[in-house]
Structures are given as C-alpha cells and as structure tokens.
Amino acid sequence: MRFTKNAIASGVLIASSLMLVACGGDDGRNGAQGPQGVAGSDGQNGSNGSDGQNGSDGINSLISQHRLPVGDLQCFDGGLRIDSGLDDNGDGVLDTAEVDQSTTLCDPTQLNDDKNFNRIATYAVCQQLDASCDTDTETAAEIVAASEDGNVLIYTDSPSDSIGFVDITTPDQPTGLGALPLGGEPTSVAVKGGYALVGVNTSAGFVNVSGKLAVVDIASRSIVQQLDLAGQPDSVAVSPDGRYAAVAIENERDEDLGNGEPPQLPAGSVDIVDIAAADPASWAVRNVVLTGLATLFPEDPEPEYVDINADNIAVVTLQENNHLVLIDLTDGSIVNHFSAGAVDLNGVDTQEEEPALISQVDSLSAVPREPDGVTWLSSQYFATANEGDLNGGSRGFSVFDKEGELHFDSAEQLDHWVARLGHYPDGRSGNKGNEPENAEFAVFGSERYLFVNSERSSVAFVYDVADLRKPVLKQVLPTALGPEGALAIPSRNLLVVASEEDARDDKFRAALNIYRYDSAAAQYPTVLSTDREDGSPIPFSAMSALAADRLHATTVYAVEDSFYQRSRIFTIDTAEQPARLNKEMRILDSNDVLASLPAIALADSGVDDDHPSRVGVFDVADRAALVNDDKTVNLDPEGLAQASDGGFWLVSEGSGTIGDDNRPINSLNMLIKLSAEAVIEQVITLPGSVNATQQRFGFEGVAEQGGKVYVAFQRAWQGDTEPRIGVYDLATSTWNFFFYPLDAALSQNGGWVGLSEITALGGERFMVIERDNQGGPDAAIKRLYEFDLSGLVTGDTVTKTLVRDLMDDLQMPGGLVPEKIEGAALMANGDVLIINDNDGVDDNSGEIQLLNLGNIVK
C-alpha cells in the first residue's frame, strides 16, 4: 500500500517604503547674512510598490509504505518498510531513485514453541584415545567444523597438537574416526569443499611467532598442503562463496609479562588466502596490516576472531583493543573500523566471597565490551560475544551494523538468566561473570537463530533474531564444561557446541555437545527460579537435598550446601515444567540457639589439639564462624525433611577429620530443628564418643518417622567398616546406630562409594541414594536402595534391596553423567524425584537435573 502527501509552498510578499528628508537654505559665502529663509512644506508620500510575484510550488514530499513478507531479510517474521523522499519528477509516485530514507518496523517476534533444540548426545573426546575414556590424558574440543554434507565433525585438540574427526551420520550415536597430528597447536578450523583449513600455531614463544594453514583432505584425513602465515593464527573463516579464507593472526601477548597489558610486539594482522582454485597448491596468502586503527594500543592490534558475510566483507574483533575492523577480502582494503564501545551494567555481582554469595546488586559503569567471537547476521548486521579480557567484562553480547551503529546490547541479561537456572559462576563475579565466548548464526526453516556460548556458566543461549535489532531469548541449553566453538548445521537440523575443559580428577571431560531441532518439548532447564519482589532473579545452585511437602502434592523443598554462606531453604513447585523455584528462606538463628550452644568435647576428657587453649572442638570461636551478625547462618546443609509439625529437620555435615593434620575439625555434625519459617529451634549433636571418631564424610541425609529422626552418614568413621544410620529418639533424647553395607567401588577410575540421602517410606522402611564419587565416563554407581529396620537392634547391619539403578536415567538427558546425586524425595502421589548437586558451578558445568522417576517404590 502506498500513499502521497503534498508539501504546500506559498509565495512571500515583500513591500518597500521610501523616506523623504527636508533640506535647509544655503548660507552665502563671505557675505553678509541674508534674511532667514521660509521653511518648505513636507513632500507627499510616495505610492506603494506593486506586489511581488508568488513563489513557485515546492517539490512534493512523499511517503511510501510496503508490507514485508515473512522471510524478509530484515524482518524475518514480516513487518513494514517506510520509504520517504522528494517527488523530483513530479509524477506523484515515490520511485526507487527518489527514496532518501527507509525505516523498517518489524512485527513482534513470535517464538516457535512447536520446535526446540534438545541435546541428543555428548561425545567425550577422550574416547578417541580409549573407547571407555579410561585415560588421564588431557584432551580438548575447542573449535568445531563439519564436512559439507554435515556427517563428519572436525574439531581442534590443542593439548595433543591434533585435530579429531567424529562421524555423526547417526547424530545421537557419534563415533570417533581418530585424530591427525599437525606438528603444532591447532587454534581453529573451517571447511571449504572436501578440505578442512586448520590454523596451526608453531610459534617458539610470544616474540618469535610463526604459524601455518594446514589443508587437510577430510576423506583421507591427511595433510595435502601447508601455507605459511604471518604469525600465530587464532581464527579461520571461509567465505560463503568459497573464494576466500581469512585468518586472524593474533600474536597474543604474554599475560605474565609486566602487568600483562599491550603493547607487546609483534603486532597482529589478518591473512587473506585466495582459495577459489580447486587445487590447494595454487592458493596464495595476502596480508592486511591493522596497526594505527584502534584508539587503544594502536601499534599492537590483537585480532581474536573473524567471520565473513555474503559480500566478502570480513569482520574482525580486536579484543584487547576493544575494536572492530571490516575488511574487503577482494582487495584487502579496510572499509570501516570503530570502537566496540562500553556498556553500563546494573544488578550484577562483582564480589567473590568465600564462602560464595550470589548478590546481584552492584552496578558497573562504562565497561569495555572487548568482543571475542563474532558472527554475521546478514550482510549488514553482526553480533559479538563480549567476553572481556583486560579491562572488560561486559557479560553480554551486542548487535552492530557495518557502519558501526550499536543496535542491541544484552547488558546484564545473561548474568540474570544463568542465576535463574542455577548456573551462575560466583567464582567469576570479580571478573567477567558468565563470560560470553562465541557466537553462531543460522536459519532453521522458518526461524533464524543466534547462538551465544557462555564459557563460565557452560550454557548456550538460543536467541530468535527475526528482528536483527531485537533478539528474543528462546532457550538455554546445557553444555559440558567450558563451551568454546559453536557450529550450526541447519541442513540436518543440528547444532554442535565444543567444550574444551578437561580434568579427569575433577570429574569433567572435554566434549562435543550435539543438539537436534525438532518438535520435541524443551528438556532444559529442569528448574527455573522466579523473580524477587524487586525484579531480580532468585539465584540458586549447589542443591544438596530434596524433601517432599506432606500436604501439597507438587511441592518439594531443597537446600544449598556449604559452597554458599547465609544458608537457604528453597520451595519448588513441580506442577510446572520446568519446575519453578518460587521461594527462598534464609535459615536464621533468631533465638540464639546455635549461638549459645555449649562447648562440646570430642570425648569425656578430650582436648582439641588444633586449639590447645580450650577443651572441645565446638566453642565460641566455632559458633562465631557459623552465625552472622544478621542472624543468618553458614552451615553445610546436606539433608532436609519436613517435620511432622510443619517445620523442618536439617542436617549440617561436619568439617574436618579427627587425627588428620590436613583436615582439622572446624565444625561438628549437627541435627537441627527449624520452624516452618526456617528459624532454628533446637540443635542436636552426636554423643562425645562418636564425635571422637569423626571423619569429614558425615551427615548426608535426614528423615522423620514414628517419633524418631534418622540420619545417614556418608562413609564409615574411625573404627567402623560401614557408614552409620543414626536414630535419634525425640521422646528420650537418645541416639542409636545401625550400619549400612555399601557396594564395592566399580568405577574404572577407582574412588569410593557413599550415601547421599535418606527418605522415609513408611513404617520402618527407608530409601537411600548410594553413589560413587565419579562422573562422566567414569561414573558407575548411582543407585537407590531400600532397607527396613524392623526387628533390628542397635549395632545391626541392615539388609538392602535395589530400588533402581539410576545410570540409564542420568544418561537419558544426553549429557555426561553428573557425579553428585544428592537429593531424593517421595511425593504424595508416589513419584520419586532426584536432583544432583552442581558444586556451585565450581569446576562443574552447572547442569542441574531434577528428574521424576515415577512411582517406583512398591
């Protein structure tokens, strides 16, 4: 639809007036004064001048509106384009040549809820070395590319100086195809036809830099050509038309030299490789100098990442310089460059407390973005993942156009989302928060998506960018630890994310995460918190126990463990998917019950060797560490149960081991009674003779049944061969103990097996979680057992019956098996829920799986 609007021009009447001036008589010269002259009369006014001619009509100003169809490059969900300009030819129609300005108004983005991304497999790259990953050798999966048919993944593995190949013809059953040594550190990989182009760092150090582009035949997995580069490569991209490759030559700085800041020469640059020829032997390299462009450290540009649009314009991020450069690959000319700018952040956590405390109440002003990964969204717009490095830490991503105008910045949005998901990395609060690392763009059918990897929170954000200037969050996907590279394969409805962190001793392995886009419902997150009254999210993590509500069939409670100070109880509504964490209660010592607890000795006459000036291991100094000035407490809650009176029973695990100089006793194991509002009402400790045998693997679960409270010890204490089940009689205030027979460790990596929860089943029946301390490919024992105390006397060992082996359940979400399955709850409808502890996202991906196992208890 089009319409015109006339601009009316009018003439201006200009009038002039004349003024006449009277003249006096003339004096005689050197003669006698003559008689006074008679004054003349005033002259008549002149007549008015004629009216000026009317001005000519001005040129009409026209506006034209065009409806944009679904699929439009600017407005993928459709919209309106408004053109304006002058009707130069006077025909009343705004012709294309007459358009001076165009504005697009995109229709509001409509998320496609009928299709979602879900993880279908995780390939641990240690499988290239051993089919079961029974190896301590460090691996990595940093950047990933795919063959043109999308059936073979190629990833960089820097610790082994090689690239790996994985067959994903059947994507939910990835198969390793081996690795290819490169004689240097691979930093990036891209694909042109049947070849993988790999940037290889062969530098001898930070000053003597060198690198090569290895051309690898994917089918034979062999090197067919190597081209010398200008220095140490960091990123490789291939143009959509296959004519050019661009390589960011970073020549990175030594972070341990001086204060770690540039300038540290040699300077970085960009290499352009002409790859149009079919034979790589004829490919040639050109270099583009980038010095003198950035305001920050102009003599030392450090290119980090590169991407190429359909017009063969490469966008390059200069991370440390906080700068962006656009290069025309056809001639190597710089077509534009500009600062990435800065952003203000509100409601972020900037403190790294010990123990941790997520407190998103701080503000930061003018934080440099310092972008890392970058991806074109169209020929006009691109998105940057703003990791931060030197002085940055902007914690988000941005959308720019190629003229340098900023159209969108997520600011604190990503930090808030990972807090809602239990993925917030408090150990990075003083630096870069969730730390966006990389970005990828692709069109999947009728939607176009931007994927942003969060390195420290180990998630991939999925944004719908129907309107390129207004990204809308669609999903958040869990990844293995430290996601770096992202690869969309829309022809196969697949997304692949490469996670590079690997440490077998710490229970995480480098991996390729594979997701499918289809009609299945979104499987993650399993728990999502709501907002507080001030609009900020309720942050949570490190869930160490579950407890079912006795009256509300869909309500469960959880606690966070000692990773966090100011201990809390959470209320979770499981009626929704994902479950909603909608309430938090700080545990309070309002009545000084914990603060006034008397000193407790190890035994009747025991002396604490670590505090020789005082008797016992729990006194004023210990209490001070547990109770804060605001009456909140710093406990280690490892078990929770709803009490019969509507309050709670909580167990706090003791810290330290008797007789171990490396683990002195810092706190005892405590059974704590709380009100329904989480106020401490009673603190119960073990008999002194039992305290005297304390190991650090103490209270791990609690249940109330029949006037007694039952606690599970994780592992055996000194003098015992099996862990205890403690029974506290509420009527007599006395303890009795039974023993639990643990399964032998079965993990290929050894380790130990212990208890993590106890749940009342009615009568004298109980269910426990039995698990090993292994994760990923090394995990072997994650089980639910049942036992009955009927007819047993103090000191007896219980007989257990397997309820469920959890390994299949934990593998079902498609990720690596988590180590710590620490919570279980029996709901009023008979369903059993379990949850894992994600260790506060410390050396942990942060993934939280709250799983409903159904009615499995007979």
Side-chain angles (χ1 to χ4, degrees):
M1 161 179 150
R2 297 187 298 175
F3 64 88
T4 61
K5 181 178 179 180
N6 293 323
I8 299 174
S10 60
V12 178
L13 177 64
I14 302 175
S16 64
S17 61
L18 301 177
M19 179 178 291
L20 302 180
V21 180
C23 297
D26 184 20
D27 290 339
R29 184 177 59 181
N30 298 326
Q33 180 176 354
Q36 184 173 353
V38 178
S41 61
D42 291 341
Q44 295 180 349
N45 291 333
S47 61
N48 292 333
S50 61
D51 292 342
Q53 294 181 347
N54 292 333
S56 60
D57 291 341
I59 300 175
N60 289 336
S61 174
L62 303 178
I63 295 176
S64 177
Q65 296 185 3
H66 300 270
R67 185 68 195 171
L68 300 176
V70 172
D72 179 78
L73 290 179
Q74 179 63 43
C75 300
F76 216 59
D77 284 349
L80 189 69
R81 189 182 79 236
I82 304 173
D83 299 329
S84 62
L86 298 178
D87 186 12
D88 293 326
N89 59 14
D91 65 355
V93 177
L94 184 63
D95 300 323
T96 301
E98 296 173 330
V99 175
D100 294 326
Q101 184 176 2
S102 292
T103 302
T104 55
L105 300 175
C106 296
D107 290 344
T109 298
Q110 299 294 319
L111 295 179
N112 184 353
D113 294 327
D114 294 331
K115 282 194 169 184
N116 296 284
F117 291 91
N118 284 303
R119 185 177 52 198
I120 58 173
T122 299
Y123 180 81
V125 298
C126 49
Q127 291 177 256
Q128 298 277 28
L129 305 177
D130 182 270
S132 62
C133 274
D134 191 11
T135 174
D136 293 337
T137 301
E138 181 185 1
T139 62
E142 186 174 3
I143 301 298
V144 61
S147 58
E148 287 198 330
D149 61 7
N151 288 330
V152 176
L153 300 179
I154 308 101
Y155 64 89
T156 59
D157 185 347
S158 57
S160 67
D161 286 349
S162 68
I163 55 172
F165 301 84
V166 177
D167 185 342
I168 59 166
T169 304
T170 305
D172 58 354
Q173 299 177 34
T175 304
L177 298 174
L180 174 67
L182 296 172
E185 176 196 8
T187 57
S188 186
V189 59
V191 166
K192 182 260 175 32
Y195 300 113
L197 281 59
V198 188
V200 183
N201 179 20
T202 58
S203 302
F206 292 100
V207 176
N208 299 314
V209 295
S210 63
K212 61 184 180 181
L213 186 69
V215 183
V216 176
D217 181 84
I218 298 173
S220 64
R221 299 191 290 280
S222 61
I223 299 174
V224 298
Q225 180 72 9
Q226 298 189 83
L227 291 83
D228 290 333
L229 298 174
Q232 171 243 317
D234 194 25
S235 173
V236 179
V238 170
S239 63
D241 63 9
R243 295 176 57 194
Y244 305 101
V247 184
I249 306 297
E250 182 179 12
N251 293 339
E252 63 185 353
R253 72 192 193 282
D254 183 353
E255 296 184 21
D256 295 325
L257 179 63
N259 60 4
E261 289 190 358
Q264 292 183 24
L265 300 181
S269 59
V270 168
D271 275 347
I272 301 173
V273 188
D274 297 300
I275 60 173
D279 185 0
S282 62
W283 294 356
V285 181
R286 297 175 277 139
N287 185 255
V288 178
V289 176
L290 301 179
T291 54
L293 301 179
T295 301
L296 296 173
F297 320 115
E299 69 274 37
D300 186 19
E302 291 195 24
E304 190 78 26
Y305 212 87
V306 61
D307 195 37
I308 306 169
N309 70 10
D311 297 330
N312 287 321
I313 302 298
V315 56
V316 184
T317 60
L318 309 186
Q319 185 173 21
E320 286 76 13
N321 312 87
N322 196 36
H323 212 72
L324 296 157
V325 180
L326 303 181
I327 302 171
D328 187 335
L329 298 182
T330 61
D331 59 9
S333 62
I334 295 172
V335 296
N336 200 6
H337 68 92
F338 44 87
S339 170
V343 62
D344 294 335
L345 302 175
N346 298 297
V348 294
D349 190 347
T350 63
Q351 305 299 318
E352 296 174 13
E353 303 89 351
E354 182 62 38
L357 179 67
I358 303 175
S359 181
Q360 295 180 315
V361 297
D362 302 325
S363 297
L364 295 171
S365 299
V367 181
R369 291 189 172 90
E370 294 184 352
D372 188 352
V374 63
T375 184
W376 284 99
L377 305 177
S378 68
S379 293
Q380 176 70 13
Y381 297 91
F382 60 86
T384 61
N386 304 325
E387 179 194 23
D389 195 0
L390 287 172
N391 304 301
S394 58
R395 308 180 183 217
F397 71 95
S398 304
V399 175
F400 295 90
D401 64 28
K402 63 183 182 182
E403 282 73 41
E405 182 179 353
L406 174 71
H407 291 271
F408 175 85
D409 192 282
S410 65
E412 61 277 348
Q413 186 179 107
L414 302 190
D415 260 17
H416 286 185
W417 268 108
V418 294
R420 287 188 183 95
L421 298 167
H423 279 255
Y424 182 75
D426 190 68
R428 299 294 296 174
S429 290
N431 297 280
K432 295 171 274 189
N434 80 91
E435 198 168 317
E437 177 75 16
N438 213 336
E440 170 76 339
F441 168 80
V443 176
F444 283 78
S446 59
E447 275 73 42
R448 57 186 182 190
Y449 293 122
L450 170 66
F451 308 93
V452 180
N453 288 349
S454 170
E455 181 179 12
R456 300 295 177 171
S457 293
S458 297
V459 295
F461 292 93
V462 184
Y463 276 83
D464 188 312
V465 284
D467 184 342
L468 298 173
R469 300 158 302 182
K470 298 178 182 178
V472 176
L473 182 67
K474 173 178 172 58
Q475 283 182 264
V476 185
L477 306 174
T479 73
L481 189 62
E484 176 86 15
L487 171 70
I489 312 176
S491 63
R492 300 196 63 203
N493 282 323
L494 298 176
L495 170 70
V496 181
V497 173
S499 293
E500 64 176 331
E501 296 297 329
D502 187 276
R504 189 184 193 188
D505 286 347
D506 292 323
K507 320 300 188 302
F508 55 85
R509 304 310 303 249
L512 296 171
N513 312 268
I514 304 173
Y515 311 85
R516 178 187 286 130
Y517 185 62
D518 60 21
S519 58
Q523 297 171 0
Y524 201 82
T526 60
V527 183
L528 179 67
S529 76
T530 58
D531 287 348
R532 293 166 168 159
E533 290 185 0
D534 63 3
S536 65
I538 299 175
F540 71 99
S541 198
M543 300 297 215
S544 58
L546 277 183
D549 187 272
R550 294 173 181 265
L551 300 177
H552 300 91
T554 63
T555 299
V556 293
Y557 304 98
V559 290
E560 56 191 357
D561 66 20
S562 63
F563 190 83
Y564 295 102
Q565 57 179 294
R566 300 181 185 175
S567 306
R568 291 178 294 169
I569 294 176
F570 303 104
T571 303
I572 302 173
D573 183 359
T574 63
E576 298 186 68
Q577 295 298 324
R580 293 297 195 272
L581 189 156
N582 53 34
K583 184 179 180 181
E584 59 180 332
M585 293 188 292
R586 297 281 179 190
I587 300 174
L588 300 172
D589 190 29
S590 302
N591 301 317
D592 294 329
V593 177
L594 179 58
S596 61
L597 199 68
I600 299 173
L602 292 175
D604 292 340
S605 59
V607 176
D608 177 13
D609 292 336
D610 297 296
H611 306 90
S613 63
R614 55 191 173 93
V615 175
V617 295
F618 191 89
D619 62 9
V620 175
D622 297 306
R623 292 197 303 269
L626 297 180
V627 182
N628 302 309
D629 292 341
D630 60 358
K631 301 295 185 178
T632 59
V633 296
N634 306 324
L635 300 171
D636 186 8
E638 293 287 350
L640 181 71
Q642 190 178 40
S644 56
D645 65 359
F648 297 96
W649 287 105
L650 179 84
V651 288
S652 179
E653 186 178 18
S655 172
T657 296
I658 298 297
D660 187 343
D661 291 339
N662 295 322
R663 295 185 183 276
I665 293 295
N666 295 315
S667 64
L668 294 179
N669 291 267
M670 291 179 285
L671 171 61
I672 301 173
K673 176 63 174 61
L674 305 173
S675 71
E677 292 75 33
V679 176
I680 295 177
E681 297 177 335
Q682 185 180 9
V683 177
I684 302 164
T685 59
L686 290 166
S689 59
V690 180
N691 281 334
T693 66
Q694 178 173 316
Q695 300 286 326
R696 70 183 182 96
F697 304 98
F699 287 175
E700 280 286 321
V702 62
E704 181 191 343
Q705 195 159 258
K708 297 177 182 179
V709 182
Y710 299 78
V711 298
F713 291 47
Q714 187 170 64
R715 295 177 62 195
W717 282 11
Q718 290 181 7
D720 298 335
T721 58
E722 297 166 331
R724 298 181 183 227
I725 302 295
V727 183
Y728 186 76
D729 191 313
L730 295 173
T732 63
S733 301
T734 57
W735 284 97
N736 287 292
F737 299 96
F738 301 88
F739 292 93
Y740 180 92
L742 292 170
D743 290 343
L746 296 178
S747 172
Q748 61 188 8
N749 196 37
W752 51 259
V753 177
L755 298 177
S756 279
E757 180 72 287
I758 184 170
T759 303
L761 301 181
E764 294 191 74
R765 295 170 54 221
F766 298 88
M767 182 176 66
V768 293
I769 295 176
E770 193 172 334
R771 68 167 181 87
D772 58 20
N773 67 329
Q774 302 297 317
D778 289 325
I781 295 178
K782 315 293 179 187
R783 299 170 179 170
L784 292 177
Y785 280 103
E786 177 186 337
F787 65 85
D788 193 333
L789 292 177
S790 299
L792 300 184
V793 297
T794 298
D796 283 351
T797 297
V798 306
T799 299
K800 65 183 185 180
T801 302
L802 181 65
V803 175
R804 191 178 184 100
D805 189 322
L806 300 174
M807 287 296 291
D808 288 345
D809 299 295
L810 298 172
Q811 291 168 346
M812 190 67 67
L816 299 176
V817 174
E819 175 203 355
K820 295 182 177 180
I821 312 305
E822 296 216 337
L826 177 63
M827 308 294 288
N829 65 358
D831 286 353
V832 172
L833 302 185
I834 61 171
I835 196 169
N836 68 293
D837 177 356
N838 71 355
D839 282 335
V841 202
D842 183 27
D843 283 342
N844 192 297
S845 71
E847 183 169 340
I848 296 176
Q849 289 293 338
L850 174 65
L851 303 179
N852 189 329
L853 307 179
N855 197 325
I856 61 173
V857 177
K858 294 183 173 59

